[in-house]
Amino acid sequence: MANSQIAVFAFNTHSRYQIGWKPVAYAIGEEIRQTLEQGYGWLEVTSIRQVEERELMSNNFRVELTSSSGRLEILVRRHISIDVEEMSKLDMVNQLILHLLGQGVPTPRIIPALDNQLYFKNGNSLWQVFEFMPGDHFQGKVE
């Protein structure tokens, strides 16, 4: 074979390039606050916005907190396609993220929960917290 390259990332046809953020309903905000308090020990949530996209695999929230060390911006993800019985999928994604970080690839760091797990179970949902990295969707082309 003359060209044996594999296209890992195809053109993004399901998302707008620029990521937008919208306000969340009160009940969703309270669920996020409860998750952050119980799972991560964070009490001072100052802002919650949800990604302005059709979300197929997860709900993603941009959250601002204040703590003793100052202002913190995080991404909170509620997995909607992975239930408690499908933990192997989540573990595989976590291992990929850790591998990319180990290789020096700019990747949001997973922030462990209080029990040192890379996720937190709240009700029937699995939640993860990441350091927030601003940016937009990958378009699948070089500009």
Side-chain angles (χ1 to χ4, degrees):
M1 264 192 217
N3 187 352
S4 61
Q5 292 182 343
I6 298 173
V8 177
F9 297 105
F11 290 106
N12 182 347
T13 59
H14 66 278
S15 301
R16 292 181 303 222
Y17 168 63
Q18 291 187 313
I19 297 173
W21 300 94
K22 63 184 178 184
V24 298
Y26 178 80
I28 293 171
E30 287 304 303
E31 184 179 13
I32 293 167
R33 283 180 177 84
Q34 178 188 47
T35 298
L36 292 174
E37 180 180 343
Q38 292 176 358
Y40 297 85
W42 290 323
L43 303 173
E44 300 297 324
V45 175
T46 56
S47 171
I48 302 173
R49 292 172 285 162
Q50 185 172 6
V51 71
E52 202 168 29
E53 298 285 340
R54 188 178 107 214
E55 298 179 290
L56 301 174
M57 306 293 285
S58 60
N59 296 130
N60 296 278
F61 305 92
R62 185 176 182 171
V63 177
E64 291 182 26
L65 309 160
T66 53
S67 67
S68 58
S69 58
R71 184 181 154 281
L72 177 65
E73 194 167 18
I74 58 174
L75 180 85
V76 176
R77 176 172 293 153
R78 175 176 48 198
H79 294 278
I80 57 178
S81 68
I82 299 176
D83 59 21
V84 175
E85 289 78 36
E86 296 178 302
M87 293 299 296
S88 62
K89 290 180 184 177
L90 185 57
D91 290 336
M92 184 175 63
V93 171
N94 291 341
Q95 292 305 313
L96 175 61
I97 290 169
L98 295 172
H99 174 76
L100 291 171
L101 285 168
Q103 298 300 309
V105 177
T107 307
R109 184 179 57 85
I110 303 170
I111 300 172
L114 290 173
D115 63 2
N116 213 30
Q117 295 294 313
L118 298 180
Y119 56 87
F120 178 72
K121 296 179 193 176
N122 186 8
N124 293 326
S125 297
L126 295 173
W127 297 80
Q128 285 191 290
V129 174
F130 300 85
E131 67 182 356
F132 183 80
M133 291 181 76
D136 292 308
H137 288 291
F138 177 70
Q139 288 186 293
K141 59 185 179 181
V142 178
E143 296 190 85

